[in-house]
Amino acid sequence: GPPPERRAWGSLRRFFRRRRATEEKWVRGRLNDFKTVLWEVVDGLRAIARDGRSTEETIQRSLADVEAALDTGSIDQVRQALGGAVATINVALAERRQQLDSEISTLGTRLAEMREDLAVTQAQARLDPLTQLHNRGAFDDSLRRYVDLADLSHQPMSLLMVDIDHFKRVNDERGHPVGDLVIQKVAAALVRSFPRKHDFVARYGGEEFAVILYDTAPADAARLAERLLTRVRNLDLDEVGWRITCSVGVAGLARGEEGPSLVERADAALCSAKRDGRNRVRAAPTS
């Protein structure tokens, strides 16, 4: 047979060929795995790039380099392209993060301002713009709460419906600007006549107002209404040319009664005051 040295050399060549084939197979497999991961990274970075137009061009150039290396380059070229791309993308993303931080800070400030504006708007939406009293919507909501509170606490509660007498004549003969002035003056008289923290004064509509008096019996509410009549009669309104008066209907909340029924009875008492000659207070019968 062949000399031992030759047999050993042939075996060594076969060993290295098998080892080289195994290594090449392993490298190709690893490279394919490497490329798969890189494509996933590329896809993820493209998504990030879409969210930040200011960094998109930089990232796209870097990704193009990586893609070219993946398609045609060796592992060293891929590694070099990837290293450069990562460095460039890190810088671009750091700049993007700074931009996002600034944008988020600005957005947070703007949102806080919007919340404040919304709170003011909501408050203004519940005020009558002419008199700055509560408006009809605020009255309806508050009446339900006052009725529930009176029912739970077993405390008396009264409602006043107030109407400016002969108001149409004011608008017809003196004009709407003077009519608005009259409404404002009467509104101010109402606020001065019912100054307690839990007294609720609202413009019910047109020249009509409503006053919720918690912890106030109808007889006491009627006395307070008489004080209001005096204050309105003494208003300084030379622009009108005659004395302004108002009429008031008073109703006390009955046990188990709901808000709409209370309003209806107070309004009926107001109509009675109008029929009896105006400039007076009338109380609804106890139901």
Side-chain angles (χ1 to χ4, degrees):
E5 293 82 358
R6 191 166 182 176
R7 286 199 305 267
W9 182 247
S11 299
L12 187 60
R13 286 200 303 268
R14 287 193 297 272
F15 170 79
F16 277 110
R17 283 198 297 269
R18 289 194 300 268
R19 179 67 178 266
R20 179 68 179 272
T22 302
E23 288 176 348
E24 288 177 353
K25 183 178 180 180
W26 180 85
V27 169
R28 285 196 300 271
R30 293 297 295 169
L31 183 58
N32 288 333
D33 292 340
F34 188 44
K35 287 184 176 182
T36 299
V37 173
L38 285 177
W39 282 120
E40 293 175 357
V41 172
V42 167
D43 290 338
L45 290 174
R46 287 196 186 281
I48 294 173
R50 286 195 297 270
D51 294 335
R53 294 194 177 187
S54 64
T55 59
E56 182 175 358
E57 185 176 349
T58 300
I59 291 178
Q60 294 295 350
R61 284 199 302 268
S62 299
L63 295 179
D65 293 340
V66 175
E67 288 172 351
L70 289 171
D71 287 336
T72 61
S74 66
I75 293 180
D76 288 339
Q77 290 173 320
V78 169
R79 185 182 298 111
Q80 183 178 0
L82 181 61
V86 168
T88 301
I89 290 170
N90 280 336
V91 172
L93 291 181
E95 293 175 352
R96 179 58 182 161
R97 281 193 294 271
Q98 290 179 350
Q99 294 172 356
L100 288 174
D101 289 344
S102 176
E103 291 169 2
I104 290 171
S105 176
T106 301
L107 180 60
T109 301
R110 180 60 184 144
L111 288 174
E113 293 173 352
M114 289 176 65
R115 282 194 294 268
E116 293 176 3
D117 291 343
L118 180 60
V120 171
T121 300
Q122 289 175 331
Q124 290 295 325
R126 297 177 66 82
L127 294 179
D128 171 62
L130 180 62
T131 63
Q132 293 302 297
L133 297 178
H134 298 289
N135 62 18
R136 172 67 182 275
F139 168 79
D140 290 339
D141 291 342
S142 296
L143 181 62
R144 286 191 293 270
R145 291 194 291 268
Y146 273 95
V147 168
D148 290 342
L149 179 61
D151 184 57
L152 289 171
S153 63
H154 302 292
Q155 296 296 320
M157 188 190 103
S158 296
L159 175 66
L160 275 59
M161 299 300 293
V162 182
D163 190 81
I164 301 173
D165 295 329
H166 301 296
F167 185 74
K168 185 175 183 301
R169 180 187 172 193
V170 175
N171 280 336
D172 291 345
E173 298 186 17
R174 297 294 184 263
H176 289 281
V178 174
D180 288 347
L181 178 62
V182 169
I183 289 175
Q184 290 172 323
K185 293 275 192 176
V186 171
L190 280 158
V191 172
R192 290 194 298 271
S193 298
F194 304 102
R196 296 184 304 175
K197 183 177 180 180
H198 51 270
D199 291 343
F200 190 92
V201 182
R203 186 181 181 190
Y204 193 76
E207 69 273 20
E208 192 169 5
F209 302 86
V211 183
I212 302 172
L213 298 176
Y214 179 72
D215 194 18
T216 305
D220 295 326
R223 285 193 290 271
L224 294 172
E226 292 287 356
R227 185 176 66 184
L228 170 66
L229 293 186
T230 300
R231 184 165 272 133
V232 172
R233 283 194 295 265
N234 292 332
L235 286 175
D236 180 12
L237 281 166
D238 294 336
E239 297 86 348
V240 176
W242 61 84
R243 186 177 64 179
I244 292 296
T245 63
C246 63
S247 301
V248 182
V250 179
L253 182 69
R255 181 61 60 87
E257 187 176 21
E258 295 186 353
S261 172
L262 180 63
V263 172
E264 184 178 349
R265 292 196 302 110
D267 197 57
L270 173 61
C271 291
S272 177
K274 293 282 192 181
R275 286 194 303 269
D276 291 346
R278 295 181 173 83
N279 189 27
R280 66 196 65 226
V281 176
R282 287 291 180 266
T286 303
S287 60

